[in-house]
Each structure stands twice: as structure tokens, then as C-alpha cells.
Amino acid sequence: MDLKFNNSRKYISITVPSKTQAMSPHIKSIDDIVVLGINLSRFNKLTQFFICVAGVFVFYLIYGYLQELIFSVEGFKSYGWYLTLVQFGFYSIFGLIELQLIQDKRRRIPGKTYMIIAFLTVGTMGLSNTSLGYLNYPTQVIFKCCKLIPVMLGGVFIQGKRYNVADVSAAVCMSLGLIWFTLADSTIAPNFNLTGVILISLALCADAVIGNVQEKAMKLHNASNSEMVLYSYSIGFVYILLGLTSTSGLRPAVTFCSRNPVRTYGYAFLFSLTGYFGISFVLALIKIFGALLAVTVTTGRKAMTIVLSFIFFAKPFTVQYVWSGLLVVLGIFLNVYSKNMDKIRLPSLQGLINKSVDERKSRMLAQTV
């Protein structure tokens, strides 16, 4: 926009760029938010939320089942990093295909930022996949469900955010509830390993940071989900490829998977496809509602994953699962309440006392009359 001043005639001329002119990537435009061909910008906030939540739950529930199924293949547990390499390769291809379907193909986020995001993504997914070679699935979920609090801390230190008591209470309730929910299974069939604990802890730290970094980058540069997926996972693919090549871990993994391509590459394709669809809805949640609400939804999805794990894989049942599930529900309610305090007004303790006193006075007055 150009401003021209003329002292003699006292007027200002304003020139607005046309749609064909390039806008600065640092300016937030009103681009549509499109996920898998669905233009979410046409719906209201509530409908957007439910569409994103449905996408996260459906695709990530299938994703979790396939992840556990892949590591059930005999001899595959030591090739977690190779699975991550294949997964990143598929994600890059999917992201490139989706990027070709949108009109604006410009890269808006700087390359240095993508290098940082790719490093964190590699740490999150690679360490998480590798930890399954040392830990059972419920134990891994115990650690991954505790990332609500680190995400909030990351929001404070990275973006300077401030969270209210309801947000903090929601994070504590959901984390404690999910830990309590899975402790019964881990105590019945404990499979703790120090190496696995270290790996999943590092993955948790990276996961706590990446949501805030993605949210800040996407909102500052107004980047699309497909752009974020394409560049972060393609750069991450190079990171993992260099790492496996330098450690001589690539050839044994390729040899093992080539012996049984259907149960390895076939599962990996479906695993990557559902994961890609899921991450697209997660990125939409981050862009529209922020990292905290996105992590709250994904944490609730993990609770559902555990429930389905009991359905597909026989496990003992105790009442402890019910109480911990109710604690998770309380955390979800607190988080929803914190986001809609203006619409949802819970009565205060003083208000309840005053209401009780007024009702008592009304009864006494009625009896007197």
C-alpha cells in the first residue's frame, strides 16, 4: 500500500495492491484453511472444531492400531528409525501431491525455521517409534500423555503465553488420569527398559516444543498445512537418511523389509497415509485454535486408543480404568470451559450461598403470610 502526501492540497492517495500482486509473507491474509479438500473457512468455529476432532480421532486411531501391528512383526522392533524414514518419505510425497492441488504454491516459512521444525519432528516421531522396541505400547502412552504440561510451559517461554487456572487444572487432570488409566496394564505386564524411557522422554520434550514452534510459524507467515508437512518432513527425511547411512543401519533394515514387503512396506504405507491425514487435521487445529487445545484433543484420542487396545487385544479390566477415565473427562471439561468462559458461566460459591439464603427468606416470608 502506497501513501502519497501533498502539502498544498492536503490529501492522501492510497493504492491497494490487486489480488495478483504478491503480499508480504509476514502479513496475515484471509486465505482459506483447506484440509484434504475440505474448506474449513466456510464453517463456523464450532463446526470447524468438530470436523478437526473427528479427523484426528478416526485417522489416528487407525494409525495407533497399525503402529502396534507393525512392531508385532517378529524381528522388526530394532528398525524403528527405518520405519520413521519410510514414513517421512511417504509424508513428503503426500505433501507434494496436496501442494500441487492448491493455487498458492509459494514457500512462506523461511528455510531456517523449517530446519528447526524438521529436527524437532525427527526427534518426536523417530524417538517415539524407536522406543516401542524397548517399551510396551501402554508404557509409551503413559509418557506421551504427559505432554500437556510441557506444551503449556513451552507456550509460556516460546510465545509468552499466560494460562489460567482452568487450563492448568485441565492439563493436570488429563495427564494424571491417563497415567492412572495405563498404570494398571503396566503393572500387570511391566516391560520397563531404561533405554526406552530415555528415548520416549526425549521424544516428549521435542513434542512439547514443536507444537508451539509450528503455531508461531504458521500464524506469523500464514503458511498452509501442506507446505508445513512437505518441507518439514522432506528435510527430516534427509536428516534420518544421513543418520542411518553414517551408522550403517540402512542396509540391514532394507534387507529385513525386502523379505516380507507386505507386512512391512504395506503396513508402513497405510500407517503413513492415516498418519498424514491425521497430522493435517492436527495442524488445522493448531492454526485455528492453538497448540494447547490441539494437544488436549490428541491426548483424549490416546485415551480412546487405550480403550480400543483392550477391545482388539485381550487385557484384564479393573475399576481403576473407570475412575481414571472420569478424571480425563473432567480435564476435557475444564479445558473446554477455559476456552468458553464468556459463554459458560458457572455459579460461584458466594453466589450459591446468597441464592440459598434468598430462598430461605422467601420460604419464611411465605409461611408468615
Side-chain angles (χ1 to χ4, degrees):
M1 181 172 65
D2 298 330
L3 298 178
K4 298 180 180 180
F5 297 90
N6 190 305
N7 294 328
S8 61
R9 300 187 63 179
K10 306 287 185 182
Y11 73 89
I12 300 176
S13 176
I14 301 177
T15 304
V16 180
S18 63
K19 293 183 179 180
T20 57
Q21 291 178 295
M23 294 182 64
S24 171
H26 298 281
I27 299 177
K28 295 181 180 180
S29 66
I30 54 173
D31 290 346
D32 294 338
I33 301 175
V34 181
V35 180
L36 304 181
I38 303 174
N39 190 349
L40 298 182
S41 302
R42 298 178 180 177
F43 304 99
N44 56 40
K45 287 288 184 180
L46 185 61
T47 306
Q48 291 176 355
F49 175 75
F50 281 114
I51 292 176
C52 290
V53 169
V56 169
F57 270 74
V58 170
F59 292 116
Y60 267 119
L61 288 177
I62 302 174
Y63 173 91
Y65 173 77
L66 291 172
Q67 184 181 35
E68 195 168 1
L69 189 63
I70 291 173
F71 279 92
S72 66
V73 177
E74 186 177 358
F76 187 80
K77 287 188 175 181
S78 58
Y79 301 119
W81 278 109
Y82 183 70
L83 173 64
T84 310
L85 176 70
V86 175
Q87 184 180 7
F88 273 49
F90 281 129
Y91 278 14
S92 301
I93 295 173
F94 298 153
L96 180 62
I97 294 174
E98 186 177 3
L99 191 63
Q100 299 304 314
L101 300 178
I102 63 177
Q103 295 180 353
D104 190 358
K105 300 179 178 61
R106 294 175 297 165
R107 178 176 61 84
R108 299 192 174 190
I109 298 178
K112 293 182 179 179
T113 305
Y114 272 127
M115 294 179 69
I116 298 174
I117 295 176
F119 179 78
L120 294 172
T121 306
V122 168
T124 299
M125 301 181 65
L127 294 173
S128 178
N129 286 338
T130 307
S131 68
L132 282 177
Y134 302 92
L135 301 173
N136 55 27
Y137 193 74
T139 305
Q140 187 207 46
V141 175
I142 288 177
F143 284 88
K144 292 179 71 174
C145 289
C146 295
K147 71 179 181 180
L148 276 171
I149 295 176
V151 164
M152 293 178 64
L153 293 176
V156 172
F157 291 107
I158 295 176
Q159 302 192 65
K161 287 187 175 182
R162 292 294 181 267
Y163 298 106
N164 54 36
V165 178
D167 283 328
V168 176
S169 301
V172 172
C173 287
M174 294 190 70
S175 298
L176 291 178
L178 286 170
I179 291 173
W180 192 16
F181 191 93
T182 53
L183 270 177
D185 184 70
S186 62
T187 52
I188 292 174
N191 188 27
F192 284 93
N193 184 292
L194 183 59
T195 303
V197 171
I198 294 174
L199 290 174
I200 194 62
S201 298
L202 293 175
L204 180 65
C205 294
D207 203 8
V209 177
I210 190 172
N212 291 284
V213 176
Q214 285 176 336
E215 178 184 359
K216 189 173 183 178
M218 292 180 73
K219 288 186 176 180
L220 176 62
H221 303 283
N222 196 33
S224 63
N225 295 348
S226 55
E227 177 195 331
M228 174 65 69
V229 171
L230 172 61
Y231 288 99
S232 59
Y233 285 99
S234 59
I235 296 174
F237 178 86
V238 177
Y239 287 164
I240 302 174
L241 182 61
L242 292 175
L244 287 176
T245 304
S246 61
T247 58
S248 302
L250 184 62
R251 180 175 296 179
V254 173
T255 303
F256 176 84
C257 293
S258 62
R259 294 173 184 170
N260 195 353
V262 176
R263 299 185 66 192
T264 54
Y265 291 115
Y267 288 167
F269 173 76
L270 296 176
F271 170 71
S272 303
L273 183 64
T274 54
Y276 176 80
F277 290 162
I279 196 65
S280 298
F281 284 102
V282 170
L283 289 174
L285 271 175
I286 292 174
K287 190 172 184 179
I288 300 173
F289 301 100
L292 179 62
L293 185 59
V295 172
T296 304
V297 172
T298 55
T299 305
R301 186 270 307 173
K302 292 182 180 67
M304 184 62 67
T305 301
I306 298 172
V307 173
L308 293 181
S309 180
F310 280 93
I311 297 176
F312 291 106
F313 304 95
K315 289 182 177 66
F317 181 81
T318 64
V319 183
Q320 180 178 338
Y321 298 135
V322 178
W323 294 111
S324 57
L326 293 176
L327 190 59
V328 172
V329 172
L330 175 61
I332 296 174
F333 169 76
L334 289 174
N335 183 256
V336 173
Y337 169 69
S338 67
K339 296 293 182 295
N340 299 275
M341 284 186 174
D342 296 335
K343 300 178 181 178
I344 305 174
R345 293 191 177 277
L346 297 180
S348 62
L349 180 61
Q350 185 63 38
L352 292 175
I353 295 175
N354 293 336
K355 184 178 180 180
S356 178
V357 172
D358 292 339
E359 289 179 353
R360 187 176 302 175
K361 289 180 179 179
S362 299
R363 292 195 194 99
M364 293 179 62
L365 182 60
Q367 292 175 359
T368 304
V369 175

